[in-house]
Structures are given as structure tokens and as C-alpha cells.
Amino acid sequence: GENVEQHPSTLSVQEGDSAVIKCTYSDSASNYFPWYKQELGKGPQLIIDIRSNVGEKKDQRIAVTLNKTAKHFSLHITETQPEDSAVYFCAARRGTSYDKVIFGPGTSLSVIP
Amino acid sequence: DVKVTQSSRYLVKRTGEKVFLECVQDMDHENMFWYRQDPGLGLRLIYFSYDVKMKEKGDIPEGYSVSREKKERFSLILESASTNQTSMYLCASRSPAGQGHYGYTFGSGTRLTVV
């Protein structure tokens, strides 16, 4: 069935370093890939998304890249700060509905001051 | 900002009880969702709704039902709670595709423990 894998499951970086989280998806029809950040005690919050007609998208210190051929997409956080510590979820849209989204299992990022 | 409010932060219920989880959004969104979140499994879709009185099954609907009598309110019902339904439940809403924003807005979650 449709699946989204996400690696690593946990990641620790020093403040100021970069963090990279990688996801793969199985549904070749997927064309929308959002990323969510979940801070402790809160619901997930959309931080960036990318559609399949774009290879890369940036928003300040956050960037997402997409390789449709390989069915890979990645989240890059540069100059990490302690407030970046959270669980990050990648997701991929299934079929033609924006409401049929499948999530990866999550990556717990710790930024060490 | 869109607000999605879940009525309870923590709930403890007994096996066999009927449980209601309530969710309200304040931005007139048509689409609402219920997910459960379990460690290592990410978020899994239980049910969603496109409009009042409309509902569709997600990936794991067994043991659950939903109610949407008003546009702003979407309720998740556990007909007879079981211990394997102990989980974090997240409600979300979204404006329809074409209005420029495709992501979900989530509530803070309800952590349900069934004993």
C-alpha cells in the first residue's frame, strides 16, 4: 500500500549546524508534499510545502527539495536554533485529493545549545 | 489565525464506555479531520468531512464514528472504548483546494487513556 518512510527517527545537532530529514514515498501519483513541526504539547503546524512542479522551495532557514524520479524529498534547516527542537513530520498527498495525505512516522530533532 | 479547539486535553475512560471527542474551528472551513497519533506510526486518518452531515472513512475507521451537525463542529465517537484506542487524537481543518492554502490547521490534541 501507499507508504511514506522518514529518516532519521531522532536527530541531535549543535546549535548553528544544519539538520536534514529525508523522506521517501511510494505513490508515483503524489504531487503535494507538506512538512509539519510539532512542539511539545501542541498540534502539528505546517512549516513548508512543495508541489511536484517545483524542485526546491525556501523560506528563510528552511528549504525543501524534491526528486520525483527517485520519490525522495528532504527538509533542510540551516543555522539551527534551540527553538527548532521539535518533532517533524513529512507527508505526501495521495491521488487527486488534498485531503488524502499520508504522514511519515516523524523525526525528533534536538538542537543542543 | 485559524483556531481549532479540542474540548479536552486529557481524558481517562473505562473499557466499554462511549466516548465523545469534540472539535470546533472558527474559520468557516468546510473540511475537517480526525487523526490519531501513535509513536513510530505518525498520524493516521480516522475520518474526515467535506461538509455538514458529510463524512468519509479514512485509513483506520474501525471502532469509531463521527458527527458533523454544524459546519464548525466535528465530533469523534468511540462507540465502545477499548484499551487499543489509547492514543493522542488530533482534530484538523482546512480550507478547500483553490483557496491558496492546502495545509491543515491542527488542534492541540486530546490524550485519551482507556483503562
Side-chain angles (χ1 to χ4, degrees):
Chain A
E2 297 139 339
N3 188 44
V4 174
E5 296 183 357
Q6 183 172 350
H7 299 281
S9 57
T10 59
L11 179 61
S12 290
V13 299
Q14 291 291 134
E15 182 177 357
D17 288 350
S18 295
V20 180
I21 302 169
K22 298 182 179 182
C23 290
T24 60
Y25 60 97
S26 59
D27 184 357
S28 56
S30 294
N31 62 3
Y32 171 67
F33 307 91
W35 286 87
Y36 289 83
K37 174 185 180 182
Q38 185 176 29
E39 297 174 338
L40 200 60
K42 297 183 178 179
Q45 181 179 11
L46 179 71
I47 54 171
I48 195 167
D49 56 11
I50 190 167
R51 299 173 75 180
S52 60
N53 57 350
V54 174
E56 183 176 0
K57 184 177 178 180
K58 277 183 147 180
D59 183 3
Q60 299 181 5
R61 296 185 297 107
I62 292 173
V64 58
T65 58
L66 172 65
N67 182 331
K68 264 200 79 86
T69 303
K71 296 191 220 170
H72 291 173
F73 58 114
S74 300
L75 179 72
H76 304 253
I77 306 173
T78 58
E79 300 172 20
T80 53
Q81 300 168 5
E83 52 265 38
D84 295 328
S85 296
V87 178
Y88 291 80
F89 293 97
C90 62
R93 186 183 98 165
R94 293 179 284 186
T96 57
S97 168
Y98 285 102
D99 294 321
K100 295 188 190 295
V101 170
I102 184 164
F103 285 82
T107 295
S108 178
L109 173 65
S110 298
V111 179
I112 304 162
Chain B
D1 280 352
V2 177
K3 281 204 168 42
V4 176
T5 302
Q6 296 183 230
S7 56
S8 303
R9 189 78 180 95
Y10 298 95
L11 274 180
V12 180
K13 296 292 182 180
R14 294 197 180 276
T15 300
E17 275 193 77
K18 190 168 186 176
V19 181
F20 293 85
L21 302 184
E22 306 287 347
C23 174
V24 177
Q25 51 94 2
D26 65 359
M27 280 297 290
D28 205 34
H29 284 173
E30 278 78 8
N31 304 344
M32 296 187 74
F33 311 83
W34 276 104
Y35 281 86
R36 67 176 278 176
Q37 180 179 9
D38 299 290
L41 296 178
L43 282 68
R44 292 179 293 166
L45 181 63
I46 304 171
Y47 266 98
F48 61 105
S49 169
Y50 287 118
D51 202 350
V52 174
K53 298 193 187 295
M54 301 291 288
K55 62 183 180 184
E56 286 199 32
K57 293 179 179 179
D59 296 313
I60 51 165
E62 296 78 18
Y64 303 94
S65 62
V66 291
S67 173
R68 189 141 181 227
E69 297 296 321
K70 293 185 178 181
K71 189 176 186 180
E72 67 270 19
R73 186 179 297 270
F74 192 35
S75 302
L76 180 69
I77 304 158
L78 285 67
E79 297 291 343
S80 177
S82 64
T83 55
N84 62 12
Q85 292 178 309
T86 292
S87 187
M88 171 70 84
Y89 289 89
L90 290 162
C91 176
S93 73
R94 192 182 65 75
S95 57
Q99 292 188 9
H101 184 273
Y102 303 110
Y104 298 149
T105 299
F106 282 93
S108 295
T110 296
R111 184 163 293 282
L112 173 67
T113 302
V114 182
V115 298

PDB file of all heavy atoms in Angstrom, chain A residues 24-56:
ATOM      1  N   THR A  24      10.880   9.245   1.801  1.00  0.00           N
ATOM      2  CA  THR A  24      10.587   8.617   0.522  1.00  0.00           C
ATOM      3  C   THR A  24       9.106   8.239   0.501  1.00  0.00           C
ATOM      4  O   THR A  24       8.514   7.970   1.546  1.00  0.00           O
ATOM      5  CB  THR A  24      11.442   7.353   0.289  1.00  0.00           C
ATOM      6  OG1 THR A  24      11.161   6.410   1.350  1.00  0.00           O
ATOM      7  CG2 THR A  24      12.915   7.668   0.309  1.00  0.00           C
ATOM      8  N   TYR A  25       8.527   8.234  -0.680  1.00  0.00           N
ATOM      9  CA  TYR A  25       7.116   7.901  -0.804  1.00  0.00           C
ATOM     10  C   TYR A  25       6.959   6.848  -1.890  1.00  0.00           C
ATOM     11  O   TYR A  25       7.823   6.678  -2.750  1.00  0.00           O
ATOM     12  CB  TYR A  25       6.279   9.155  -1.105  1.00  0.00           C
ATOM     13  CG  TYR A  25       6.642   9.875  -2.387  1.00  0.00           C
ATOM     14  CD1 TYR A  25       5.929   9.656  -3.562  1.00  0.00           C
ATOM     15  CD2 TYR A  25       7.691  10.793  -2.408  1.00  0.00           C
ATOM     16  CE1 TYR A  25       6.259  10.330  -4.725  1.00  0.00           C
ATOM     17  CE2 TYR A  25       8.031  11.467  -3.570  1.00  0.00           C
ATOM     18  CZ  TYR A  25       7.315  11.237  -4.726  1.00  0.00           C
ATOM     19  OH  TYR A  25       7.638  11.895  -5.890  1.00  0.00           O
ATOM     20  N   SER A  26       5.822   6.167  -1.853  1.00  0.00           N
ATOM     21  CA  SER A  26       5.652   5.039  -2.778  1.00  0.00           C
ATOM     22  C   SER A  26       4.671   5.342  -3.915  1.00  0.00           C
ATOM     23  O   SER A  26       4.752   4.723  -4.982  1.00  0.00           O
ATOM     24  CB  SER A  26       5.164   3.808  -2.002  1.00  0.00           C
ATOM     25  OG  SER A  26       3.918   4.086  -1.354  1.00  0.00           O
ATOM     26  N   ASP A  27       3.751   6.294  -3.700  1.00  0.00           N
ATOM     27  CA  ASP A  27       2.712   6.562  -4.697  1.00  0.00           C
ATOM     28  C   ASP A  27       3.246   7.524  -5.762  1.00  0.00           C
ATOM     29  O   ASP A  27       3.429   8.712  -5.489  1.00  0.00           O
ATOM     30  CB  ASP A  27       1.484   7.155  -4.000  1.00  0.00           C
ATOM     31  CG  ASP A  27       0.310   7.387  -4.951  1.00  0.00           C
ATOM     32  OD1 ASP A  27       0.465   7.129  -6.175  1.00  0.00           O
ATOM     33  OD2 ASP A  27      -0.749   7.820  -4.477  1.00  0.00           O
ATOM     34  N   SER A  28       3.478   7.033  -6.957  1.00  0.00           N
ATOM     35  CA  SER A  28       4.050   7.877  -8.009  1.00  0.00           C
ATOM     36  C   SER A  28       3.092   8.996  -8.435  1.00  0.00           C
ATOM     37  O   SER A  28       3.502   9.944  -9.100  1.00  0.00           O
ATOM     38  CB  SER A  28       4.424   7.022  -9.217  1.00  0.00           C
ATOM     39  OG  SER A  28       3.309   6.288  -9.673  1.00  0.00           O
ATOM     40  N   ALA A  29       1.809   8.893  -8.052  1.00  0.00           N
ATOM     41  CA  ALA A  29       0.846   9.950  -8.383  1.00  0.00           C
ATOM     42  C   ALA A  29       0.887  11.110  -7.396  1.00  0.00           C
ATOM     43  O   ALA A  29       0.270  12.149  -7.629  1.00  0.00           O
ATOM     44  CB  ALA A  29      -0.564   9.371  -8.432  1.00  0.00           C
ATOM     45  N   SER A  30       1.620  10.959  -6.299  1.00  0.00           N
ATOM     46  CA  SER A  30       1.691  12.041  -5.304  1.00  0.00           C
ATOM     47  C   SER A  30       2.289  13.288  -5.923  1.00  0.00           C
ATOM     48  O   SER A  30       3.298  13.219  -6.632  1.00  0.00           O
ATOM     49  CB  SER A  30       2.554  11.608  -4.112  1.00  0.00           C
ATOM     50  OG  SER A  30       1.946  10.555  -3.404  1.00  0.00           O
ATOM     51  N   ASN A  31       1.676  14.444  -5.633  1.00  0.00           N
ATOM     52  CA  ASN A  31       2.225  15.682  -6.193  1.00  0.00           C
ATOM     53  C   ASN A  31       2.187  16.857  -5.222  1.00  0.00           C
ATOM     54  O   ASN A  31       2.335  18.015  -5.619  1.00  0.00           O
ATOM     55  CB  ASN A  31       1.504  16.051  -7.490  1.00  0.00           C
ATOM     56  CG  ASN A  31       0.034  16.316  -7.266  1.00  0.00           C
ATOM     57  OD1 ASN A  31      -0.459  16.280  -6.141  1.00  0.00           O
ATOM     58  ND2 ASN A  31      -0.679  16.600  -8.343  1.00  0.00           N
ATOM     59  N   TYR A  32       1.985  16.574  -3.938  1.00  0.00           N
ATOM     60  CA  TYR A  32       1.992  17.630  -2.940  1.00  0.00           C
ATOM     61  C   TYR A  32       2.613  17.068  -1.669  1.00  0.00           C
ATOM     62  O   TYR A  32       2.213  15.992  -1.201  1.00  0.00           O
ATOM     63  CB  TYR A  32       0.563  18.119  -2.686  1.00  0.00           C
ATOM     64  CG  TYR A  32       0.439  19.062  -1.511  1.00  0.00           C
ATOM     65  CD1 TYR A  32       1.007  20.328  -1.555  1.00  0.00           C
ATOM     66  CD2 TYR A  32      -0.231  18.679  -0.359  1.00  0.00           C
ATOM     67  CE1 TYR A  32       0.902  21.185  -0.477  1.00  0.00           C
ATOM     68  CE2 TYR A  32      -0.346  19.537   0.718  1.00  0.00           C
ATOM     69  CZ  TYR A  32       0.229  20.783   0.656  1.00  0.00           C
ATOM     70  OH  TYR A  32       0.125  21.635   1.720  1.00  0.00           O
ATOM     71  N   PHE A  33       3.615  17.804  -1.124  1.00  0.00           N
ATOM     72  CA  PHE A  33       4.420  17.272  -0.031  1.00  0.00           C
ATOM     73  C   PHE A  33       4.574  18.335   1.053  1.00  0.00           C
ATOM     74  O   PHE A  33       5.436  19.205   0.971  1.00  0.00           O
ATOM     75  CB  PHE A  33       5.791  16.832  -0.558  1.00  0.00           C
ATOM     76  CG  PHE A  33       5.686  15.895  -1.731  1.00  0.00           C
ATOM     77  CD1 PHE A  33       5.674  16.390  -3.031  1.00  0.00           C
ATOM     78  CD2 PHE A  33       5.564  14.523  -1.537  1.00  0.00           C
ATOM     79  CE1 PHE A  33       5.549  15.537  -4.117  1.00  0.00           C
ATOM     80  CE2 PHE A  33       5.440  13.661  -2.614  1.00  0.00           C
ATOM     81  CZ  PHE A  33       5.429  14.167  -3.904  1.00  0.00           C
ATOM     82  N   PRO A  34       3.758  18.269   2.104  1.00  0.00           N
ATOM     83  CA  PRO A  34       3.880  19.228   3.202  1.00  0.00           C
ATOM     84  C   PRO A  34       4.787  18.702   4.310  1.00  0.00           C
ATOM     85  O   PRO A  34       4.978  17.494   4.460  1.00  0.00           O
ATOM     86  CB  PRO A  34       2.438  19.342   3.713  1.00  0.00           C
ATOM     87  CG  PRO A  34       1.831  18.009   3.419  1.00  0.00           C
ATOM     88  CD  PRO A  34       2.543  17.461   2.198  1.00  0.00           C
ATOM     89  N   TRP A  35       5.332  19.635   5.078  1.00  0.00           N
ATOM     90  CA  TRP A  35       6.102  19.321   6.275  1.00  0.00           C
ATOM     91  C   TRP A  35       5.456  20.024   7.469  1.00  0.00           C
ATOM     92  O   TRP A  35       5.095  21.197   7.381  1.00  0.00           O
ATOM     93  CB  TRP A  35       7.546  19.810   6.145  1.00  0.00           C
ATOM     94  CG  TRP A  35       8.388  18.978   5.234  1.00  0.00           C
ATOM     95  CD1 TRP A  35       8.525  19.108   3.879  1.00  0.00           C
ATOM     96  CD2 TRP A  35       9.230  17.886   5.607  1.00  0.00           C
ATOM     97  NE1 TRP A  35       9.386  18.165   3.396  1.00  0.00           N
ATOM     98  CE2 TRP A  35       9.838  17.409   4.429  1.00  0.00           C
ATOM     99  CE3 TRP A  35       9.530  17.269   6.827  1.00  0.00           C
ATOM    100  CZ2 TRP A  35      10.738  16.331   4.433  1.00  0.00           C
ATOM    101  CZ3 TRP A  35      10.427  16.215   6.831  1.00  0.00           C
ATOM    102  CH2 TRP A  35      11.020  15.751   5.639  1.00  0.00           C
ATOM    103  N   TYR A  36       5.359  19.264   8.565  1.00  0.00           N
ATOM    104  CA  TYR A  36       4.765  19.802   9.781  1.00  0.00           C
ATOM    105  C   TYR A  36       5.761  19.717  10.933  1.00  0.00           C
ATOM    106  O   TYR A  36       6.558  18.782  11.023  1.00  0.00           O
ATOM    107  CB  TYR A  36       3.501  19.020  10.164  1.00  0.00           C
ATOM    108  CG  TYR A  36       2.331  19.262   9.240  1.00  0.00           C
ATOM    109  CD1 TYR A  36       2.204  18.567   8.043  1.00  0.00           C
ATOM    110  CD2 TYR A  36       1.356  20.206   9.567  1.00  0.00           C
ATOM    111  CE1 TYR A  36       1.141  18.810   7.196  1.00  0.00           C
ATOM    112  CE2 TYR A  36       0.283  20.450   8.721  1.00  0.00           C
ATOM    113  CZ  TYR A  36       0.188  19.740   7.543  1.00  0.00           C
ATOM    114  OH  TYR A  36      -0.873  19.987   6.703  1.00  0.00           O
ATOM    115  N   LYS A  37       5.673  20.698  11.821  1.00  0.00           N
ATOM    116  CA  LYS A  37       6.500  20.753  13.037  1.00  0.00           C
ATOM    117  C   LYS A  37       5.575  20.653  14.233  1.00  0.00           C
ATOM    118  O   LYS A  37       4.584  21.386  14.316  1.00  0.00           O
ATOM    119  CB  LYS A  37       7.268  22.080  13.082  1.00  0.00           C
ATOM    120  CG  LYS A  37       8.059  22.333  14.354  1.00  0.00           C
ATOM    121  CD  LYS A  37       8.677  23.730  14.315  1.00  0.00           C
ATOM    122  CE  LYS A  37       9.475  24.021  15.567  1.00  0.00           C
ATOM    123  NZ  LYS A  37      10.034  25.403  15.557  1.00  0.00           N
ATOM    124  N   GLN A  38       5.890  19.743  15.143  1.00  0.00           N
ATOM    125  CA  GLN A  38       5.069  19.594  16.335  1.00  0.00           C
ATOM    126  C   GLN A  38       5.920  19.858  17.578  1.00  0.00           C
ATOM    127  O   GLN A  38       6.812  19.068  17.909  1.00  0.00           O
ATOM    128  CB  GLN A  38       4.449  18.201  16.414  1.00  0.00           C
ATOM    129  CG  GLN A  38       3.483  18.037  17.581  1.00  0.00           C
ATOM    130  CD  GLN A  38       2.805  16.682  17.577  1.00  0.00           C
ATOM    131  OE1 GLN A  38       3.358  15.692  17.097  1.00  0.00           O
ATOM    132  NE2 GLN A  38       1.598  16.607  18.138  1.00  0.00           N
ATOM    133  N   GLU A  39       5.647  20.947  18.253  1.00  0.00           N
ATOM    134  CA  GLU A  39       6.318  21.259  19.504  1.00  0.00           C
ATOM    135  C   GLU A  39       5.606  20.544  20.644  1.00  0.00           C
ATOM    136  O   GLU A  39       4.430  20.164  20.527  1.00  0.00           O
ATOM    137  CB  GLU A  39       6.342  22.764  19.716  1.00  0.00           C
ATOM    138  CG  GLU A  39       7.147  23.486  18.637  1.00  0.00           C
ATOM    139  CD  GLU A  39       7.074  24.990  18.752  1.00  0.00           C
ATOM    140  OE1 GLU A  39       6.123  25.500  19.370  1.00  0.00           O
ATOM    141  OE2 GLU A  39       7.975  25.656  18.219  1.00  0.00           O
ATOM    142  N   LEU A  40       6.310  20.388  21.734  1.00  0.00           N
ATOM    143  CA  LEU A  40       5.788  19.641  22.868  1.00  0.00           C
ATOM    144  C   LEU A  40       4.462  20.220  23.349  1.00  0.00           C
ATOM    145  O   LEU A  40       4.349  21.430  23.577  1.00  0.00           O
ATOM    146  CB  LEU A  40       6.822  19.673  23.995  1.00  0.00           C
ATOM    147  CG  LEU A  40       6.703  18.592  25.067  1.00  0.00           C
ATOM    148  CD1 LEU A  40       6.841  17.208  24.467  1.00  0.00           C
ATOM    149  CD2 LEU A  40       7.735  18.812  26.163  1.00  0.00           C
ATOM    150  N   GLY A  41       3.458  19.385  23.453  1.00  0.00           N
ATOM    151  CA  GLY A  41       2.160  19.813  23.964  1.00  0.00           C
ATOM    152  C   GLY A  41       1.286  20.546  22.966  1.00  0.00           C
ATOM    153  O   GLY A  41       0.226  21.064  23.327  1.00  0.00           O
ATOM    154  N   LYS A  42       1.727  20.573  21.705  1.00  0.00           N
ATOM    155  CA  LYS A  42       0.951  21.282  20.687  1.00  0.00           C
ATOM    156  C   LYS A  42       0.628  20.353  19.524  1.00  0.00           C
ATOM    157  O   LYS A  42       1.222  19.296  19.365  1.00  0.00           O
ATOM    158  CB  LYS A  42       1.730  22.486  20.168  1.00  0.00           C
ATOM    159  CG  LYS A  42       2.025  23.538  21.229  1.00  0.00           C
ATOM    160  CD  LYS A  42       2.727  24.736  20.611  1.00  0.00           C
ATOM    161  CE  LYS A  42       2.987  25.807  21.647  1.00  0.00           C
ATOM    162  NZ  LYS A  42       3.690  26.986  21.058  1.00  0.00           N
ATOM    163  N   GLY A  43      -0.328  20.796  18.698  1.00  0.00           N
ATOM    164  CA  GLY A  43      -0.602  20.064  17.477  1.00  0.00           C
ATOM    165  C   GLY A  43       0.419  20.388  16.402  1.00  0.00           C
ATOM    166  O   GLY A  43       1.136  21.395  16.496  1.00  0.00           O
ATOM    167  N   PRO A  44       0.529  19.558  15.375  1.00  0.00           N
ATOM    168  CA  PRO A  44       1.463  19.850  14.274  1.00  0.00           C
ATOM    169  C   PRO A  44       1.094  21.151  13.569  1.00  0.00           C
ATOM    170  O   PRO A  44      -0.084  21.501  13.455  1.00  0.00           O
ATOM    171  CB  PRO A  44       1.272  18.647  13.337  1.00  0.00           C
ATOM    172  CG  PRO A  44       0.701  17.564  14.189  1.00  0.00           C
ATOM    173  CD  PRO A  44      -0.139  18.263  15.198  1.00  0.00           C
ATOM    174  N   GLN A  45       2.133  21.844  13.098  1.00  0.00           N
ATOM    175  CA  GLN A  45       1.930  23.106  12.390  1.00  0.00           C
ATOM    176  C   GLN A  45       2.645  23.036  11.051  1.00  0.00           C
ATOM    177  O   GLN A  45       3.827  22.659  10.995  1.00  0.00           O
ATOM    178  CB  GLN A  45       2.469  24.268  13.220  1.00  0.00           C
ATOM    179  CG  GLN A  45       2.288  25.622  12.571  1.00  0.00           C
ATOM    180  CD  GLN A  45       2.812  26.758  13.431  1.00  0.00           C
ATOM    181  OE1 GLN A  45       3.496  26.537  14.428  1.00  0.00           O
ATOM    182  NE2 GLN A  45       2.492  27.973  13.060  1.00  0.00           N
ATOM    183  N   LEU A  46       1.944  23.396   9.985  1.00  0.00           N
ATOM    184  CA  LEU A  46       2.546  23.405   8.660  1.00  0.00           C
ATOM    185  C   LEU A  46       3.678  24.435   8.614  1.00  0.00           C
ATOM    186  O   LEU A  46       3.487  25.604   8.990  1.00  0.00           O
ATOM    187  CB  LEU A  46       1.501  23.768   7.621  1.00  0.00           C
ATOM    188  CG  LEU A  46       1.984  23.834   6.165  1.00  0.00           C
ATOM    189  CD1 LEU A  46       2.291  22.441   5.640  1.00  0.00           C
ATOM    190  CD2 LEU A  46       0.946  24.525   5.281  1.00  0.00           C
ATOM    191  N   ILE A  47       4.880  24.007   8.181  1.00  0.00           N
ATOM    192  CA  ILE A  47       6.005  24.942   8.106  1.00  0.00           C
ATOM    193  C   ILE A  47       6.423  25.223   6.668  1.00  0.00           C
ATOM    194  O   ILE A  47       6.926  26.306   6.364  1.00  0.00           O
ATOM    195  CB  ILE A  47       7.218  24.452   8.924  1.00  0.00           C
ATOM    196  CG1 ILE A  47       7.649  23.035   8.519  1.00  0.00           C
ATOM    197  CG2 ILE A  47       6.921  24.515  10.409  1.00  0.00           C
ATOM    198  CD1 ILE A  47       8.969  22.598   9.140  1.00  0.00           C
ATOM    199  N   ILE A  48       6.246  24.280   5.767  1.00  0.00           N
ATOM    200  CA  ILE A  48       6.585  24.486   4.380  1.00  0.00           C
ATOM    201  C   ILE A  48       5.970  23.351   3.577  1.00  0.00           C
ATOM    202  O   ILE A  48       5.717  22.270   4.118  1.00  0.00           O
ATOM    203  CB  ILE A  48       8.119  24.555   4.175  1.00  0.00           C
ATOM    204  CG1 ILE A  48       8.482  25.134   2.802  1.00  0.00           C
ATOM    205  CG2 ILE A  48       8.770  23.183   4.396  1.00  0.00           C
ATOM    206  CD1 ILE A  48       9.963  25.512   2.667  1.00  0.00           C
ATOM    207  N   ASP A  49       5.682  23.609   2.314  1.00  0.00           N
ATOM    208  CA  ASP A  49       5.182  22.552   1.447  1.00  0.00           C
ATOM    209  C   ASP A  49       5.718  22.765   0.045  1.00  0.00           C
ATOM    210  O   ASP A  49       6.206  23.839  -0.305  1.00  0.00           O
ATOM    211  CB  ASP A  49       3.654  22.471   1.468  1.00  0.00           C
ATOM    212  CG  ASP A  49       2.970  23.790   1.107  1.00  0.00           C
ATOM    213  OD1 ASP A  49       3.645  24.730   0.627  1.00  0.00           O
ATOM    214  OD2 ASP A  49       1.753  23.900   1.331  1.00  0.00           O
ATOM    215  N   ILE A  50       5.660  21.712  -0.758  1.00  0.00           N
ATOM    216  CA  ILE A  50       6.179  21.792  -2.114  1.00  0.00           C
ATOM    217  C   ILE A  50       5.284  20.968  -3.023  1.00  0.00           C
ATOM    218  O   ILE A  50       4.749  19.928  -2.618  1.00  0.00           O
ATOM    219  CB  ILE A  50       7.656  21.323  -2.185  1.00  0.00           C
ATOM    220  CG1 ILE A  50       8.278  21.646  -3.556  1.00  0.00           C
ATOM    221  CG2 ILE A  50       7.783  19.832  -1.869  1.00  0.00           C
ATOM    222  CD1 ILE A  50       9.792  21.489  -3.579  1.00  0.00           C
ATOM    223  N   ARG A  51       5.097  21.463  -4.230  1.00  0.00           N
ATOM    224  CA  ARG A  51       4.316  20.732  -5.215  1.00  0.00           C
ATOM    225  C   ARG A  51       5.267  20.173  -6.267  1.00  0.00           C
ATOM    226  O   ARG A  51       6.380  20.663  -6.448  1.00  0.00           O
ATOM    227  CB  ARG A  51       3.263  21.651  -5.820  1.00  0.00           C
ATOM    228  CG  ARG A  51       2.303  22.160  -4.766  1.00  0.00           C
ATOM    229  CD  ARG A  51       1.349  23.193  -5.286  1.00  0.00           C
ATOM    230  NE  ARG A  51       0.312  22.584  -6.100  1.00  0.00           N
ATOM    231  CZ  ARG A  51      -0.657  23.274  -6.676  1.00  0.00           C
ATOM    232  NH1 ARG A  51      -0.711  24.582  -6.530  1.00  0.00           N
ATOM    233  NH2 ARG A  51      -1.561  22.677  -7.405  1.00  0.00           N
ATOM    234  N   SER A  52       4.814  19.177  -6.977  1.00  0.00           N
ATOM    235  CA  SER A  52       5.737  18.390  -7.801  1.00  0.00           C
ATOM    236  C   SER A  52       6.245  19.123  -9.030  1.00  0.00           C
ATOM    237  O   SER A  52       7.163  18.641  -9.694  1.00  0.00           O
ATOM    238  CB  SER A  52       5.074  17.083  -8.227  1.00  0.00           C
ATOM    239  OG  SER A  52       3.917  17.358  -8.983  1.00  0.00           O
ATOM    240  N   ASN A  53       5.688  20.288  -9.335  1.00  0.00           N
ATOM    241  CA  ASN A  53       6.208  21.038 -10.468  1.00  0.00           C
ATOM    242  C   ASN A  53       7.379  21.939 -10.064  1.00  0.00           C
ATOM    243  O   ASN A  53       7.874  22.727 -10.876  1.00  0.00           O
ATOM    244  CB  ASN A  53       5.093  21.869 -11.118  1.00  0.00           C
ATOM    245  CG  ASN A  53       4.428  22.807 -10.128  1.00  0.00           C
ATOM    246  OD1 ASN A  53       4.654  22.725  -8.924  1.00  0.00           O
ATOM    247  ND2 ASN A  53       3.607  23.706 -10.638  1.00  0.00           N
ATOM    248  N   VAL A  54       7.808  21.784  -8.803  1.00  0.00           N
ATOM    249  CA  VAL A  54       8.911  22.591  -8.271  1.00  0.00           C
ATOM    250  C   VAL A  54       9.941  21.654  -7.670  1.00  0.00           C
ATOM    251  O   VAL A  54       9.587  20.679  -7.011  1.00  0.00           O
ATOM    252  CB  VAL A  54       8.393  23.569  -7.191  1.00  0.00           C
ATOM    253  CG1 VAL A  54       9.531  24.319  -6.529  1.00  0.00           C
ATOM    254  CG2 VAL A  54       7.393  24.527  -7.802  1.00  0.00           C
ATOM    255  N   GLY A  55      11.247  21.914  -7.879  1.00  0.00           N
ATOM    256  CA  GLY A  55      12.271  21.033  -7.341  1.00  0.00           C
ATOM    257  C   GLY A  55      12.773  21.450  -5.972  1.00  0.00           C
ATOM    258  O   GLY A  55      13.280  20.631  -5.215  1.00  0.00           O
ATOM    259  N   GLU A  56      12.636  22.756  -5.667  1.00  0.00           N
ATOM    260  CA  GLU A  56      13.131  23.260  -4.391  1.00  0.00           C
ATOM    261  C   GLU A  56      12.314  24.483  -3.985  1.00  0.00           C
ATOM    262  O   GLU A  56      11.877  25.257  -4.830  1.00  0.00           O
ATOM    263  CB  GLU A  56      14.615  23.641  -4.493  1.00  0.00           C
ATOM    264  CG  GLU A  56      15.218  24.111  -3.188  1.00  0.00           C
ATOM    265  CD  GLU A  56      16.711  24.401  -3.278  1.00  0.00           C
ATOM    266  OE1 GLU A  56      17.276  24.236  -4.375  1.00  0.00           O
ATOM    267  OE2 GLU A  56      17.306  24.771  -2.252  1.00  0.00           O
TER     268      GLU A  56
END
